[in-house]
Amino acid sequence: MSTVRMFNYIPECVDLLGAAKRILENYLKDKNIIDFPLKNVTYTIRYMMDETKIVFLVSYGKSWPNRCYDRNLKIYDDSVLSDEVIHMTNQFIFVIYQDRVLCSDNNKRNVILNLLHDSDKNFSCNLLAVSTSIDDFIKQVKSIESVSITATNDLFINEFLNPHWGDDLDEKEPPETTTIKMEFKRPLNEDYIINLYKKLRRPTYIKTFNIKGETSDGFISINEESVIAKEIFEFEKEEGYYEVEEIFKKV
């Protein structure tokens, strides 16, 4: 058995699972193995799906010289692989659920999204990584993009809006919930971010919130649940490689 740590992401788009299913069925359904070249790397992709998830198993390699050492001649031998024959030396796993995405390689998290966009130019989606704690979030974040808050009507009157803004209305119709998005797009003081996080977690009228920031590698977010950043699975390997059928049963 092999231990695989899967990074946890939130898709920043509407119904990623439905969009991925549509693209696979309309553009890629006749391909048992999808061949996808990207930045001098060839990815071969197999997938399985049902109503709740899509599991992609991706193998990849490069068609450039492999340096070998000839012990008899005492020289290096650069044997060139062709574009048709490629050593698939690595694999990673990518899983789309209704509300989240798992990927075993953080550096390869956009490969499947690029494949979907390449098949349908109208498709676009970003993945937000989720930190395990406010301290971990602070260590990684370079600037704060935005803070989104959904709250009950207590917040509508008492916190962000002027209590008197609706005094000239004949009737008062408070909403069930209010959603507010504050955009910063700049670095913020660490103490401010920590205190803001603590304040958002404290009131009972805060239903959900999401602090979105930018790191050197991309975007990261933290919310009221402090979602675990990694999930751990045990998968078997056949002759050194994972099998998509076995992964599909366990995730």
PDB file of all heavy atoms in Angstrom, residues 181-200:
ATOM      1  N   LYS A 181     -19.223  41.674   0.271  1.00  0.00           N
ATOM      2  CA  LYS A 181     -17.871  41.377  -0.188  1.00  0.00           C
ATOM      3  C   LYS A 181     -17.036  42.644  -0.096  1.00  0.00           C
ATOM      4  O   LYS A 181     -17.351  43.656  -0.712  1.00  0.00           O
ATOM      5  CB  LYS A 181     -17.866  40.851  -1.626  1.00  0.00           C
ATOM      6  CG  LYS A 181     -16.485  40.454  -2.117  1.00  0.00           C
ATOM      7  CD  LYS A 181     -16.542  39.827  -3.507  1.00  0.00           C
ATOM      8  CE  LYS A 181     -15.166  39.390  -3.969  1.00  0.00           C
ATOM      9  NZ  LYS A 181     -15.201  38.762  -5.326  1.00  0.00           N
ATOM     10  N   MET A 182     -15.964  42.554   0.696  1.00  0.00           N
ATOM     11  CA  MET A 182     -15.049  43.683   0.851  1.00  0.00           C
ATOM     12  C   MET A 182     -13.764  43.362   0.097  1.00  0.00           C
ATOM     13  O   MET A 182     -13.107  42.360   0.383  1.00  0.00           O
ATOM     14  CB  MET A 182     -14.747  43.921   2.332  1.00  0.00           C
ATOM     15  CG  MET A 182     -15.987  44.225   3.166  1.00  0.00           C
ATOM     16  SD  MET A 182     -15.577  44.458   4.924  1.00  0.00           S
ATOM     17  CE  MET A 182     -15.174  42.771   5.395  1.00  0.00           C
ATOM     18  N   GLU A 183     -13.385  44.184  -0.859  1.00  0.00           N
ATOM     19  CA  GLU A 183     -12.177  43.959  -1.652  1.00  0.00           C
ATOM     20  C   GLU A 183     -11.041  44.834  -1.135  1.00  0.00           C
ATOM     21  O   GLU A 183     -11.213  46.035  -0.934  1.00  0.00           O
ATOM     22  CB  GLU A 183     -12.452  44.244  -3.130  1.00  0.00           C
ATOM     23  CG  GLU A 183     -13.449  43.265  -3.762  1.00  0.00           C
ATOM     24  CD  GLU A 183     -13.547  43.432  -5.264  1.00  0.00           C
ATOM     25  OE1 GLU A 183     -13.057  44.466  -5.760  1.00  0.00           O
ATOM     26  OE2 GLU A 183     -14.097  42.536  -5.928  1.00  0.00           O
ATOM     27  N   PHE A 184      -9.877  44.214  -0.935  1.00  0.00           N
ATOM     28  CA  PHE A 184      -8.689  44.932  -0.469  1.00  0.00           C
ATOM     29  C   PHE A 184      -7.611  44.974  -1.553  1.00  0.00           C
ATOM     30  O   PHE A 184      -7.077  46.023  -1.869  1.00  0.00           O
ATOM     31  CB  PHE A 184      -8.141  44.267   0.799  1.00  0.00           C
ATOM     32  CG  PHE A 184      -9.054  44.386   1.984  1.00  0.00           C
ATOM     33  CD1 PHE A 184      -9.962  43.376   2.283  1.00  0.00           C
ATOM     34  CD2 PHE A 184      -9.021  45.502   2.784  1.00  0.00           C
ATOM     35  CE1 PHE A 184     -10.804  43.481   3.375  1.00  0.00           C
ATOM     36  CE2 PHE A 184      -9.860  45.625   3.884  1.00  0.00           C
ATOM     37  CZ  PHE A 184     -10.766  44.602   4.178  1.00  0.00           C
ATOM     38  N   LYS A 185      -7.228  43.792  -2.047  1.00  0.00           N
ATOM     39  CA  LYS A 185      -6.217  43.674  -3.110  1.00  0.00           C
ATOM     40  C   LYS A 185      -4.909  44.359  -2.735  1.00  0.00           C
ATOM     41  O   LYS A 185      -4.275  45.034  -3.538  1.00  0.00           O
ATOM     42  CB  LYS A 185      -6.765  44.236  -4.435  1.00  0.00           C
ATOM     43  CG  LYS A 185      -7.986  43.484  -4.944  1.00  0.00           C
ATOM     44  CD  LYS A 185      -8.445  43.999  -6.292  1.00  0.00           C
ATOM     45  CE  LYS A 185      -9.633  43.198  -6.787  1.00  0.00           C
ATOM     46  NZ  LYS A 185     -10.119  43.630  -8.112  1.00  0.00           N
ATOM     47  N   ARG A 186      -4.491  44.136  -1.486  1.00  0.00           N
ATOM     48  CA  ARG A 186      -3.228  44.712  -1.006  1.00  0.00           C
ATOM     49  C   ARG A 186      -2.802  43.964   0.264  1.00  0.00           C
ATOM     50  O   ARG A 186      -3.625  43.308   0.913  1.00  0.00           O
ATOM     51  CB  ARG A 186      -3.393  46.196  -0.700  1.00  0.00           C
ATOM     52  CG  ARG A 186      -4.345  46.503   0.448  1.00  0.00           C
ATOM     53  CD  ARG A 186      -4.451  48.005   0.692  1.00  0.00           C
ATOM     54  NE  ARG A 186      -5.224  48.334   1.877  1.00  0.00           N
ATOM     55  CZ  ARG A 186      -6.544  48.480   1.883  1.00  0.00           C
ATOM     56  NH1 ARG A 186      -7.237  48.341   0.756  1.00  0.00           N
ATOM     57  NH2 ARG A 186      -7.175  48.796   3.003  1.00  0.00           N
ATOM     58  N   PRO A 187      -1.543  44.067   0.636  1.00  0.00           N
ATOM     59  CA  PRO A 187      -1.092  43.452   1.901  1.00  0.00           C
ATOM     60  C   PRO A 187      -1.779  44.110   3.087  1.00  0.00           C
ATOM     61  O   PRO A 187      -2.001  45.332   3.097  1.00  0.00           O
ATOM     62  CB  PRO A 187       0.414  43.712   1.912  1.00  0.00           C
ATOM     63  CG  PRO A 187       0.781  43.970   0.486  1.00  0.00           C
ATOM     64  CD  PRO A 187      -0.415  44.636  -0.131  1.00  0.00           C
ATOM     65  N   LEU A 188      -2.120  43.302   4.087  1.00  0.00           N
ATOM     66  CA  LEU A 188      -2.719  43.814   5.309  1.00  0.00           C
ATOM     67  C   LEU A 188      -1.873  43.389   6.500  1.00  0.00           C
ATOM     68  O   LEU A 188      -1.205  42.355   6.470  1.00  0.00           O
ATOM     69  CB  LEU A 188      -4.151  43.289   5.485  1.00  0.00           C
ATOM     70  CG  LEU A 188      -5.171  43.684   4.420  1.00  0.00           C
ATOM     71  CD1 LEU A 188      -6.529  43.061   4.732  1.00  0.00           C
ATOM     72  CD2 LEU A 188      -5.302  45.198   4.308  1.00  0.00           C
ATOM     73  N   ASN A 189      -1.932  44.171   7.557  1.00  0.00           N
ATOM     74  CA  ASN A 189      -1.198  43.864   8.775  1.00  0.00           C
ATOM     75  C   ASN A 189      -1.635  42.515   9.340  1.00  0.00           C
ATOM     76  O   ASN A 189      -2.825  42.200   9.375  1.00  0.00           O
ATOM     77  CB  ASN A 189      -1.430  44.973   9.807  1.00  0.00           C
ATOM     78  CG  ASN A 189      -0.658  44.756  11.080  1.00  0.00           C
ATOM     79  OD1 ASN A 189      -1.125  44.050  11.975  1.00  0.00           O
ATOM     80  ND2 ASN A 189       0.505  45.369  11.159  1.00  0.00           N
ATOM     81  N   GLU A 190      -0.677  41.705   9.801  1.00  0.00           N
ATOM     82  CA  GLU A 190      -0.996  40.370  10.308  1.00  0.00           C
ATOM     83  C   GLU A 190      -1.983  40.420  11.467  1.00  0.00           C
ATOM     84  O   GLU A 190      -2.913  39.614  11.543  1.00  0.00           O
ATOM     85  CB  GLU A 190       0.288  39.651  10.742  1.00  0.00           C
ATOM     86  CG  GLU A 190       1.199  39.268   9.590  1.00  0.00           C
ATOM     87  CD  GLU A 190       2.391  38.471  10.055  1.00  0.00           C
ATOM     88  OE1 GLU A 190       2.461  38.147  11.271  1.00  0.00           O
ATOM     89  OE2 GLU A 190       3.257  38.159   9.221  1.00  0.00           O
ATOM     90  N   ASP A 191      -1.772  41.361  12.404  1.00  0.00           N
ATOM     91  CA  ASP A 191      -2.676  41.465  13.563  1.00  0.00           C
ATOM     92  C   ASP A 191      -4.095  41.802  13.118  1.00  0.00           C
ATOM     93  O   ASP A 191      -5.066  41.320  13.702  1.00  0.00           O
ATOM     94  CB  ASP A 191      -2.167  42.534  14.534  1.00  0.00           C
ATOM     95  CG  ASP A 191      -0.894  42.104  15.257  1.00  0.00           C
ATOM     96  OD1 ASP A 191      -0.659  40.880  15.335  1.00  0.00           O
ATOM     97  OD2 ASP A 191      -0.149  42.982  15.713  1.00  0.00           O
ATOM     98  N   TYR A 192      -4.205  42.641  12.091  1.00  0.00           N
ATOM     99  CA  TYR A 192      -5.538  42.983  11.584  1.00  0.00           C
ATOM    100  C   TYR A 192      -6.245  41.752  11.035  1.00  0.00           C
ATOM    101  O   TYR A 192      -7.426  41.525  11.308  1.00  0.00           O
ATOM    102  CB  TYR A 192      -5.423  44.052  10.498  1.00  0.00           C
ATOM    103  CG  TYR A 192      -6.755  44.380   9.835  1.00  0.00           C
ATOM    104  CD1 TYR A 192      -7.650  45.283  10.422  1.00  0.00           C
ATOM    105  CD2 TYR A 192      -7.124  43.764   8.644  1.00  0.00           C
ATOM    106  CE1 TYR A 192      -8.877  45.565   9.831  1.00  0.00           C
ATOM    107  CE2 TYR A 192      -8.347  44.046   8.047  1.00  0.00           C
ATOM    108  CZ  TYR A 192      -9.216  44.942   8.641  1.00  0.00           C
ATOM    109  OH  TYR A 192     -10.429  45.205   8.054  1.00  0.00           O
ATOM    110  N   ILE A 193      -5.515  40.933  10.247  1.00  0.00           N
ATOM    111  CA  ILE A 193      -6.122  39.728   9.670  1.00  0.00           C
ATOM    112  C   ILE A 193      -6.550  38.761  10.767  1.00  0.00           C
ATOM    113  O   ILE A 193      -7.653  38.198  10.732  1.00  0.00           O
ATOM    114  CB  ILE A 193      -5.132  39.041   8.709  1.00  0.00           C
ATOM    115  CG1 ILE A 193      -4.753  39.982   7.565  1.00  0.00           C
ATOM    116  CG2 ILE A 193      -5.745  37.754   8.140  1.00  0.00           C
ATOM    117  CD1 ILE A 193      -3.648  39.430   6.677  1.00  0.00           C
ATOM    118  N   ILE A 194      -5.689  38.558  11.766  1.00  0.00           N
ATOM    119  CA  ILE A 194      -6.009  37.643  12.871  1.00  0.00           C
ATOM    120  C   ILE A 194      -7.225  38.133  13.643  1.00  0.00           C
ATOM    121  O   ILE A 194      -8.139  37.369  13.958  1.00  0.00           O
ATOM    122  CB  ILE A 194      -4.791  37.493  13.794  1.00  0.00           C
ATOM    123  CG1 ILE A 194      -3.670  36.752  13.082  1.00  0.00           C
ATOM    124  CG2 ILE A 194      -5.179  36.753  15.077  1.00  0.00           C
ATOM    125  CD1 ILE A 194      -2.366  36.710  13.847  1.00  0.00           C
ATOM    126  N   ASN A 195      -7.262  39.429  13.974  1.00  0.00           N
ATOM    127  CA  ASN A 195      -8.388  39.971  14.730  1.00  0.00           C
ATOM    128  C   ASN A 195      -9.675  39.932  13.921  1.00  0.00           C
ATOM    129  O   ASN A 195     -10.759  39.681  14.471  1.00  0.00           O
ATOM    130  CB  ASN A 195      -8.082  41.407  15.160  1.00  0.00           C
ATOM    131  CG  ASN A 195      -6.985  41.465  16.206  1.00  0.00           C
ATOM    132  OD1 ASN A 195      -6.809  40.520  16.979  1.00  0.00           O
ATOM    133  ND2 ASN A 195      -6.237  42.559  16.244  1.00  0.00           N
ATOM    134  N   LEU A 196      -9.556  40.174  12.594  1.00  0.00           N
ATOM    135  CA  LEU A 196     -10.735  40.088  11.732  1.00  0.00           C
ATOM    136  C   LEU A 196     -11.271  38.656  11.711  1.00  0.00           C
ATOM    137  O   LEU A 196     -12.476  38.431  11.827  1.00  0.00           O
ATOM    138  CB  LEU A 196     -10.368  40.541  10.321  1.00  0.00           C
ATOM    139  CG  LEU A 196     -11.460  40.386   9.252  1.00  0.00           C
ATOM    140  CD1 LEU A 196     -12.656  41.273   9.577  1.00  0.00           C
ATOM    141  CD2 LEU A 196     -10.910  40.722   7.872  1.00  0.00           C
ATOM    142  N   TYR A 197     -10.367  37.699  11.583  1.00  0.00           N
ATOM    143  CA  TYR A 197     -10.759  36.282  11.580  1.00  0.00           C
ATOM    144  C   TYR A 197     -11.465  35.914  12.892  1.00  0.00           C
ATOM    145  O   TYR A 197     -12.522  35.272  12.882  1.00  0.00           O
ATOM    146  CB  TYR A 197      -9.518  35.426  11.367  1.00  0.00           C
ATOM    147  CG  TYR A 197      -9.758  33.944  11.453  1.00  0.00           C
ATOM    148  CD1 TYR A 197     -10.330  33.237  10.395  1.00  0.00           C
ATOM    149  CD2 TYR A 197      -9.403  33.232  12.599  1.00  0.00           C
ATOM    150  CE1 TYR A 197     -10.540  31.879  10.470  1.00  0.00           C
ATOM    151  CE2 TYR A 197      -9.605  31.868  12.686  1.00  0.00           C
ATOM    152  CZ  TYR A 197     -10.173  31.193  11.624  1.00  0.00           C
ATOM    153  OH  TYR A 197     -10.377  29.852  11.708  1.00  0.00           O
ATOM    154  N   LYS A 198     -10.898  36.322  14.007  1.00  0.00           N
ATOM    155  CA  LYS A 198     -11.504  36.009  15.309  1.00  0.00           C
ATOM    156  C   LYS A 198     -12.870  36.674  15.459  1.00  0.00           C
ATOM    157  O   LYS A 198     -13.812  36.072  15.997  1.00  0.00           O
ATOM    158  CB  LYS A 198     -10.576  36.467  16.436  1.00  0.00           C
ATOM    159  CG  LYS A 198      -9.299  35.640  16.544  1.00  0.00           C
ATOM    160  CD  LYS A 198      -8.406  36.155  17.672  1.00  0.00           C
ATOM    161  CE  LYS A 198      -7.155  35.305  17.809  1.00  0.00           C
ATOM    162  NZ  LYS A 198      -6.254  35.818  18.875  1.00  0.00           N
ATOM    163  N   LYS A 199     -12.987  37.886  14.964  1.00  0.00           N
ATOM    164  CA  LYS A 199     -14.272  38.590  15.074  1.00  0.00           C
ATOM    165  C   LYS A 199     -15.340  37.928  14.212  1.00  0.00           C
ATOM    166  O   LYS A 199     -16.502  37.832  14.610  1.00  0.00           O
ATOM    167  CB  LYS A 199     -14.100  40.053  14.659  1.00  0.00           C
ATOM    168  CG  LYS A 199     -15.382  40.869  14.835  1.00  0.00           C
ATOM    169  CD  LYS A 199     -15.146  42.343  14.594  1.00  0.00           C
ATOM    170  CE  LYS A 199     -16.434  43.126  14.837  1.00  0.00           C
ATOM    171  NZ  LYS A 199     -16.259  44.580  14.635  1.00  0.00           N
ATOM    172  N   LEU A 200     -14.966  37.458  13.025  1.00  0.00           N
ATOM    173  CA  LEU A 200     -15.924  36.806  12.145  1.00  0.00           C
ATOM    174  C   LEU A 200     -16.380  35.466  12.700  1.00  0.00           C
ATOM    175  O   LEU A 200     -17.515  35.035  12.465  1.00  0.00           O
ATOM    176  CB  LEU A 200     -15.306  36.602  10.758  1.00  0.00           C
ATOM    177  CG  LEU A 200     -15.068  37.860   9.933  1.00  0.00           C
ATOM    178  CD1 LEU A 200     -14.283  37.541   8.668  1.00  0.00           C
ATOM    179  CD2 LEU A 200     -16.384  38.540   9.585  1.00  0.00           C
TER     180      LEU A 200
END
